[in-house]
Amino acid sequence: MAAKIIDGKKIASLTRADIASRVAQLKEESGVAPGLAVIIVGNDPASQVYVRNKKKACEEAGMYSVVIEMPEDTTQEALMEQIETLKENDRIHGILVQLPLPAHLDEEAVIAAIPPEKDVDAFHPINTGKIMIGNYDFLPCTPAGVMKLLEHEGVEISGKECVVVGRSNIVGKPQAMLLLHANGTVTICHSRTKNLAEITRRADILVVAIGKANYITGDMIRPGAVVIDVGMNRPAGGKLCGDVDFASCSTVAGAITPVPGGVGPMTITMLLENTLTAAKKAVEKNCKNP
Ligand code: GUN
């Protein structure tokens, strides 16, 4: 039987409408519009598209947004100075530095320079630590978007076999943690995992973020499984595809996300949610310390 297609575009649109109404309410109550600053260094075409989409989504939700474009040869000092300026800017509640950065820049130092209360990516060590202990202000956008999709689809996680393929700091590791917080039994697989198919076939919920086009095929999944594809691959000359081979998996899975139109729209949606949270916290703080 064909799997149910999880419509990320529709779920993102519903969630964004709800965020927009909460933004309007915050503006009315406090006069503050949530503000996001996105820094992009260099000319990576994929990053430029992502950044443009982030700005557009902010504006549609009634938020203030700025994009700061810096050249490929930007120095570490210049980038740190830019972050310092945004740190002091009261109109900016969220700061996001688009990754990956050019190789000469120290990504870890850049992430650590963003104040945790403006870290809407939730990449700062303080925020990743808070996620580990389950007491957090922000969730990283892609894993949070996946959780929202599962919630919207009414997928029960508690007690279920959850398999995450991929162990990146941006997706795999925090995704595993969020599924664990939801009482899933979680296994993390990666490029060195032996007998991958044996493990993925156990999954009631399979989240794939390995960055390899069409890596998971229909024979690797359990009939009826919920399959979430975080991949965004552009094979040379081919069209955008995920890490999951949609053609073979969609006849075996119970539900599956498409690429595009699955997880992608949810990532930006959760960035809007985090920016709103940051703005609300700033308003509360200012109310306490007039
Ligand atoms: N590059 C790809 N995904 C992301 C993301 O979620 N945040 C940032 N800052 N850069 C990215």
Side-chain angles (χ1 to χ4, degrees), residues 221-259:
I221 63 173
R222 176 182 183 146
V226 176
V227 178
I228 307 287
D229 187 354
V230 180
M232 288 260 253
N233 308 290
R234 283 184 185 79
K239 53 178 191 174
L240 183 73
C241 70
D243 293 352
V244 172
D245 177 47
F246 189 85
S248 61
C249 289
S250 60
T251 59
V252 183
I256 188 167
T257 58
V259 176

mmCIF file of all heavy atoms in Angstrom, residues 221-259:
data_model
loop_
_atom_site.group_PDB
_atom_site.id
_atom_site.type_symbol
_atom_site.label_atom_id
_atom_site.label_comp_id
_atom_site.label_asym_id
_atom_site.label_seq_id
_atom_site.Cartn_x
_atom_site.Cartn_y
_atom_site.Cartn_z
ATOM 1 N N ILE A 221 13.652 -0.602 5.151
ATOM 2 C CA ILE A 221 12.688 -0.088 6.133
ATOM 3 C C ILE A 221 11.610 -1.121 6.456
ATOM 4 O O ILE A 221 11.355 -2.040 5.679
ATOM 5 C CB ILE A 221 12.044 1.249 5.685
ATOM 6 C CG1 ILE A 221 11.235 1.056 4.405
ATOM 7 C CG2 ILE A 221 13.087 2.335 5.508
ATOM 8 C CD1 ILE A 221 10.456 2.298 4.028
ATOM 9 N N ARG A 222 11.024 -0.910 7.610
ATOM 10 C CA ARG A 222 10.005 -1.826 8.100
ATOM 11 C C ARG A 222 8.642 -1.437 7.493
ATOM 12 O O ARG A 222 8.316 -0.242 7.474
ATOM 13 C CB ARG A 222 9.977 -1.636 9.613
ATOM 14 C CG ARG A 222 8.963 -2.366 10.388
ATOM 15 C CD ARG A 222 9.166 -1.933 11.839
ATOM 16 N NE ARG A 222 8.274 -2.654 12.699
ATOM 17 C CZ ARG A 222 8.586 -3.015 13.929
ATOM 18 N NH1 ARG A 222 9.757 -2.693 14.435
ATOM 19 N NH2 ARG A 222 7.735 -3.666 14.659
ATOM 20 N N PRO A 223 7.857 -2.402 7.053
ATOM 21 C CA PRO A 223 6.550 -2.038 6.511
ATOM 22 C C PRO A 223 5.743 -1.234 7.536
ATOM 23 O O PRO A 223 5.674 -1.607 8.710
ATOM 24 C CB PRO A 223 5.896 -3.395 6.222
ATOM 25 C CG PRO A 223 7.047 -4.332 6.006
ATOM 26 C CD PRO A 223 8.120 -3.850 6.943
ATOM 27 N N GLY A 224 5.207 -0.130 7.104
ATOM 28 C CA GLY A 224 4.388 0.698 8.000
ATOM 29 C C GLY A 224 5.168 1.758 8.771
ATOM 30 O O GLY A 224 4.573 2.570 9.481
ATOM 31 N N ALA A 225 6.493 1.791 8.632
ATOM 32 C CA ALA A 225 7.310 2.757 9.392
ATOM 33 C C ALA A 225 7.005 4.199 8.966
ATOM 34 O O ALA A 225 6.577 4.451 7.838
ATOM 35 C CB ALA A 225 8.791 2.474 9.165
ATOM 36 N N VAL A 226 7.254 5.119 9.921
ATOM 37 C CA VAL A 226 7.185 6.550 9.600
ATOM 38 C C VAL A 226 8.598 6.975 9.197
ATOM 39 O O VAL A 226 9.542 6.816 9.979
ATOM 40 C CB VAL A 226 6.699 7.366 10.822
ATOM 41 C CG1 VAL A 226 6.716 8.861 10.514
ATOM 42 C CG2 VAL A 226 5.307 6.908 11.234
ATOM 43 N N VAL A 227 8.749 7.477 7.981
ATOM 44 C CA VAL A 227 10.080 7.791 7.447
ATOM 45 C C VAL A 227 10.198 9.297 7.200
ATOM 46 O O VAL A 227 9.416 9.877 6.431
ATOM 47 C CB VAL A 227 10.340 7.007 6.134
ATOM 48 C CG1 VAL A 227 11.704 7.365 5.554
ATOM 49 C CG2 VAL A 227 10.237 5.503 6.385
ATOM 50 N N ILE A 228 11.160 9.898 7.894
ATOM 51 C CA ILE A 228 11.361 11.353 7.792
ATOM 52 C C ILE A 228 12.704 11.603 7.111
ATOM 53 O O ILE A 228 13.753 11.178 7.617
ATOM 54 C CB ILE A 228 11.357 12.006 9.203
ATOM 55 C CG1 ILE A 228 10.108 11.632 10.006
ATOM 56 C CG2 ILE A 228 11.562 13.519 9.090
ATOM 57 C CD1 ILE A 228 8.830 12.286 9.576
ATOM 58 N N ASP A 229 12.658 12.306 6.010
ATOM 59 C CA ASP A 229 13.852 12.527 5.175
ATOM 60 C C ASP A 229 14.334 13.967 5.330
ATOM 61 O O ASP A 229 13.686 14.905 4.870
ATOM 62 C CB ASP A 229 13.465 12.240 3.715
ATOM 63 C CG ASP A 229 14.651 12.258 2.771
ATOM 64 O OD1 ASP A 229 15.755 12.609 3.207
ATOM 65 O OD2 ASP A 229 14.444 11.915 1.592
ATOM 66 N N VAL A 230 15.476 14.132 5.985
ATOM 67 C CA VAL A 230 16.022 15.470 6.217
ATOM 68 C C VAL A 230 16.960 15.886 5.065
ATOM 69 O O VAL A 230 17.367 17.029 4.969
ATOM 70 C CB VAL A 230 16.750 15.518 7.588
ATOM 71 C CG1 VAL A 230 17.330 16.887 7.863
ATOM 72 C CG2 VAL A 230 15.814 15.119 8.718
ATOM 73 N N GLY A 231 17.293 14.945 4.197
ATOM 74 C CA GLY A 231 18.288 15.196 3.144
ATOM 75 C C GLY A 231 17.870 16.238 2.129
ATOM 76 O O GLY A 231 16.684 16.423 1.849
ATOM 77 N N MET A 232 18.861 16.960 1.616
ATOM 78 C CA MET A 232 18.650 17.926 0.523
ATOM 79 C C MET A 232 19.872 17.778 -0.367
ATOM 80 O O MET A 232 20.906 18.402 -0.107
ATOM 81 C CB MET A 232 18.625 19.354 1.064
ATOM 82 C CG MET A 232 17.393 19.687 1.854
ATOM 83 S SD MET A 232 16.276 20.594 0.831
ATOM 84 C CE MET A 232 16.463 22.195 1.553
ATOM 85 N N ASN A 233 19.777 16.932 -1.372
ATOM 86 C CA ASN A 233 20.935 16.686 -2.235
ATOM 87 C C ASN A 233 20.629 17.166 -3.649
ATOM 88 O O ASN A 233 19.506 17.017 -4.128
ATOM 89 C CB ASN A 233 21.240 15.187 -2.266
ATOM 90 C CG ASN A 233 21.371 14.607 -0.862
ATOM 91 O OD1 ASN A 233 22.327 14.886 -0.155
ATOM 92 N ND2 ASN A 233 20.384 13.822 -0.449
ATOM 93 N N ARG A 234 21.640 17.724 -4.261
ATOM 94 C CA ARG A 234 21.503 18.139 -5.669
ATOM 95 C C ARG A 234 22.556 17.402 -6.479
ATOM 96 O O ARG A 234 23.651 17.912 -6.701
ATOM 97 C CB ARG A 234 21.726 19.654 -5.794
ATOM 98 C CG ARG A 234 20.551 20.477 -5.345
ATOM 99 C CD ARG A 234 20.783 21.960 -5.581
ATOM 100 N NE ARG A 234 19.698 22.735 -5.040
ATOM 101 C CZ ARG A 234 19.536 23.039 -3.767
ATOM 102 N NH1 ARG A 234 20.419 22.599 -2.883
ATOM 103 N NH2 ARG A 234 18.512 23.753 -3.355
ATOM 104 N N PRO A 235 22.238 16.167 -6.898
ATOM 105 C CA PRO A 235 23.226 15.433 -7.702
ATOM 106 C C PRO A 235 23.503 16.203 -8.993
ATOM 107 O O PRO A 235 22.593 16.843 -9.520
ATOM 108 C CB PRO A 235 22.533 14.103 -7.999
ATOM 109 C CG PRO A 235 21.281 14.074 -7.195
ATOM 110 C CD PRO A 235 20.962 15.471 -6.768
ATOM 111 N N ALA A 236 24.764 16.140 -9.464
ATOM 112 C CA ALA A 236 25.154 16.902 -10.662
ATOM 113 C C ALA A 236 24.171 16.628 -11.798
ATOM 114 O O ALA A 236 23.965 15.478 -12.182
ATOM 115 C CB ALA A 236 26.574 16.504 -11.073
ATOM 116 N N GLY A 237 23.561 17.693 -12.274
ATOM 117 C CA GLY A 237 22.641 17.555 -13.404
ATOM 118 C C GLY A 237 21.261 17.037 -13.036
ATOM 119 O O GLY A 237 20.335 17.109 -13.835
ATOM 120 N N GLY A 238 21.127 16.493 -11.829
ATOM 121 C CA GLY A 238 19.838 15.926 -11.438
ATOM 122 C C GLY A 238 19.017 16.915 -10.645
ATOM 123 O O GLY A 238 19.459 18.028 -10.356
ATOM 124 N N LYS A 239 17.811 16.505 -10.263
ATOM 125 C CA LYS A 239 16.999 17.438 -9.478
ATOM 126 C C LYS A 239 17.148 17.137 -7.982
ATOM 127 O O LYS A 239 17.631 16.065 -7.598
ATOM 128 C CB LYS A 239 15.542 17.413 -9.939
ATOM 129 C CG LYS A 239 14.904 16.051 -9.974
ATOM 130 C CD LYS A 239 13.456 16.181 -10.392
ATOM 131 C CE LYS A 239 12.793 14.844 -10.151
ATOM 132 N NZ LYS A 239 11.423 14.736 -10.334
ATOM 133 N N LEU A 240 16.707 18.115 -7.187
ATOM 134 C CA LEU A 240 16.811 18.023 -5.730
ATOM 135 C C LEU A 240 16.217 16.693 -5.239
ATOM 136 O O LEU A 240 15.111 16.330 -5.627
ATOM 137 C CB LEU A 240 16.033 19.202 -5.132
ATOM 138 C CG LEU A 240 16.066 19.351 -3.616
ATOM 139 C CD1 LEU A 240 17.427 19.848 -3.155
ATOM 140 C CD2 LEU A 240 14.984 20.312 -3.150
ATOM 141 N N CYS A 241 16.965 15.981 -4.398
ATOM 142 C CA CYS A 241 16.402 14.750 -3.828
ATOM 143 C C CYS A 241 16.864 14.576 -2.390
ATOM 144 O O CYS A 241 17.798 15.237 -1.933
ATOM 145 C CB CYS A 241 16.772 13.533 -4.675
ATOM 146 S SG CYS A 241 18.496 13.110 -4.569
ATOM 147 N N GLY A 242 16.209 13.700 -1.689
ATOM 148 C CA GLY A 242 16.512 13.484 -0.285
ATOM 149 C C GLY A 242 17.536 12.378 -0.072
ATOM 150 O O GLY A 242 18.173 11.902 -1.018
ATOM 151 N N ASP A 243 17.679 11.954 1.197
ATOM 152 C CA ASP A 243 18.561 10.836 1.543
ATOM 153 C C ASP A 243 17.805 9.510 1.431
ATOM 154 O O ASP A 243 18.381 8.442 1.553
ATOM 155 C CB ASP A 243 19.054 10.990 2.995
ATOM 156 C CG ASP A 243 19.978 12.183 3.173
ATOM 157 O OD1 ASP A 243 20.363 12.795 2.158
ATOM 158 O OD2 ASP A 243 20.306 12.501 4.333
ATOM 159 N N VAL A 244 16.491 9.617 1.273
ATOM 160 C CA VAL A 244 15.633 8.432 1.192
ATOM 161 C C VAL A 244 15.184 8.268 -0.264
ATOM 162 O O VAL A 244 14.760 9.238 -0.896
ATOM 163 C CB VAL A 244 14.400 8.618 2.118
ATOM 164 C CG1 VAL A 244 13.397 7.495 1.918
ATOM 165 C CG2 VAL A 244 14.835 8.703 3.583
ATOM 166 N N ASP A 245 15.294 7.049 -0.756
ATOM 167 C CA ASP A 245 14.824 6.777 -2.115
ATOM 168 C C ASP A 245 13.293 6.701 -2.076
ATOM 169 O O ASP A 245 12.713 5.693 -1.673
ATOM 170 C CB ASP A 245 15.432 5.463 -2.609
ATOM 171 C CG ASP A 245 14.926 5.108 -3.989
ATOM 172 O OD1 ASP A 245 14.925 5.997 -4.852
ATOM 173 O OD2 ASP A 245 14.473 3.965 -4.184
ATOM 174 N N PHE A 246 12.688 7.807 -2.463
ATOM 175 C CA PHE A 246 11.235 7.949 -2.292
ATOM 176 C C PHE A 246 10.470 6.866 -3.054
ATOM 177 O O PHE A 246 9.520 6.282 -2.529
ATOM 178 C CB PHE A 246 10.804 9.352 -2.758
ATOM 179 C CG PHE A 246 9.380 9.676 -2.427
ATOM 180 C CD1 PHE A 246 9.039 10.188 -1.188
ATOM 181 C CD2 PHE A 246 8.369 9.460 -3.346
ATOM 182 C CE1 PHE A 246 7.723 10.482 -0.862
ATOM 183 C CE2 PHE A 246 7.045 9.739 -3.035
ATOM 184 C CZ PHE A 246 6.723 10.253 -1.791
ATOM 185 N N ALA A 247 10.905 6.568 -4.281
ATOM 186 C CA ALA A 247 10.158 5.617 -5.130
ATOM 187 C C ALA A 247 10.021 4.260 -4.439
ATOM 188 O O ALA A 247 8.920 3.700 -4.360
ATOM 189 C CB ALA A 247 10.851 5.485 -6.476
ATOM 190 N N SER A 248 11.125 3.721 -3.912
ATOM 191 C CA SER A 248 11.042 2.377 -3.315
ATOM 192 C C SER A 248 10.496 2.413 -1.880
ATOM 193 O O SER A 248 9.825 1.471 -1.453
ATOM 194 C CB SER A 248 12.404 1.679 -3.364
ATOM 195 O OG SER A 248 13.363 2.402 -2.632
ATOM 196 N N CYS A 249 10.763 3.493 -1.141
ATOM 197 C CA CYS A 249 10.317 3.540 0.261
ATOM 198 C C CYS A 249 8.827 3.864 0.404
ATOM 199 O O CYS A 249 8.186 3.423 1.357
ATOM 200 C CB CYS A 249 11.145 4.558 1.052
ATOM 201 S SG CYS A 249 12.833 4.009 1.315
ATOM 202 N N SER A 250 8.305 4.632 -0.542
ATOM 203 C CA SER A 250 6.909 5.068 -0.379
ATOM 204 C C SER A 250 5.911 3.920 -0.577
ATOM 205 O O SER A 250 4.743 4.055 -0.257
ATOM 206 C CB SER A 250 6.591 6.239 -1.308
ATOM 207 O OG SER A 250 6.784 5.843 -2.640
ATOM 208 N N THR A 251 6.377 2.780 -1.074
ATOM 209 C CA THR A 251 5.463 1.638 -1.200
ATOM 210 C C THR A 251 5.540 0.734 0.033
ATOM 211 O O THR A 251 4.755 -0.193 0.173
ATOM 212 C CB THR A 251 5.788 0.795 -2.457
ATOM 213 O OG1 THR A 251 7.134 0.355 -2.338
ATOM 214 C CG2 THR A 251 5.623 1.597 -3.732
ATOM 215 N N VAL A 252 6.513 0.996 0.904
ATOM 216 C CA VAL A 252 6.709 0.144 2.095
ATOM 217 C C VAL A 252 6.310 0.895 3.379
ATOM 218 O O VAL A 252 5.692 0.324 4.282
ATOM 219 C CB VAL A 252 8.194 -0.310 2.206
ATOM 220 C CG1 VAL A 252 8.390 -1.244 3.393
ATOM 221 C CG2 VAL A 252 8.670 -0.965 0.920
ATOM 222 N N ALA A 253 6.661 2.172 3.443
ATOM 223 C CA ALA A 253 6.422 2.974 4.658
ATOM 224 C C ALA A 253 4.926 3.172 4.906
ATOM 225 O O ALA A 253 4.104 3.025 3.990
ATOM 226 C CB ALA A 253 7.100 4.339 4.495
ATOM 227 N N GLY A 254 4.610 3.537 6.165
ATOM 228 C CA GLY A 254 3.232 3.911 6.487
ATOM 229 C C GLY A 254 3.004 5.380 6.183
ATOM 230 O O GLY A 254 1.930 5.792 5.749
ATOM 231 N N ALA A 255 4.048 6.178 6.433
ATOM 232 C CA ALA A 255 3.997 7.617 6.157
ATOM 233 C C ALA A 255 5.412 8.065 5.823
ATOM 234 O O ALA A 255 6.387 7.517 6.357
ATOM 235 C CB ALA A 255 3.465 8.376 7.366
ATOM 236 N N ILE A 256 5.523 9.062 4.964
ATOM 237 C CA ILE A 256 6.861 9.488 4.499
ATOM 238 C C ILE A 256 6.832 10.966 4.125
ATOM 239 O O ILE A 256 5.804 11.473 3.664
ATOM 240 C CB ILE A 256 7.291 8.600 3.295
ATOM 241 C CG1 ILE A 256 8.746 8.851 2.885
ATOM 242 C CG2 ILE A 256 6.361 8.769 2.098
ATOM 243 C CD1 ILE A 256 9.301 7.782 1.937
ATOM 244 N N THR A 257 7.963 11.649 4.351
ATOM 245 C CA THR A 257 8.053 13.057 3.931
ATOM 246 C C THR A 257 8.672 13.124 2.536
ATOM 247 O O THR A 257 9.643 12.422 2.261
ATOM 248 C CB THR A 257 8.923 13.894 4.890
ATOM 249 O OG1 THR A 257 10.234 13.315 4.961
ATOM 250 C CG2 THR A 257 8.322 13.974 6.273
ATOM 251 N N PRO A 258 8.153 13.983 1.671
ATOM 252 C CA PRO A 258 8.776 14.166 0.355
ATOM 253 C C PRO A 258 9.925 15.168 0.432
ATOM 254 O O PRO A 258 10.046 15.896 1.410
ATOM 255 C CB PRO A 258 7.628 14.745 -0.475
ATOM 256 C CG PRO A 258 6.791 15.500 0.505
ATOM 257 C CD PRO A 258 6.938 14.812 1.845
ATOM 258 N N VAL A 259 10.762 15.194 -0.595
ATOM 259 C CA VAL A 259 11.783 16.241 -0.761
ATOM 260 C C VAL A 259 11.663 16.741 -2.194
ATOM 261 O O VAL A 259 11.792 15.940 -3.127
ATOM 262 C CB VAL A 259 13.204 15.686 -0.522
ATOM 263 C CG1 VAL A 259 14.250 16.770 -0.796
ATOM 264 C CG2 VAL A 259 13.365 15.152 0.899
#
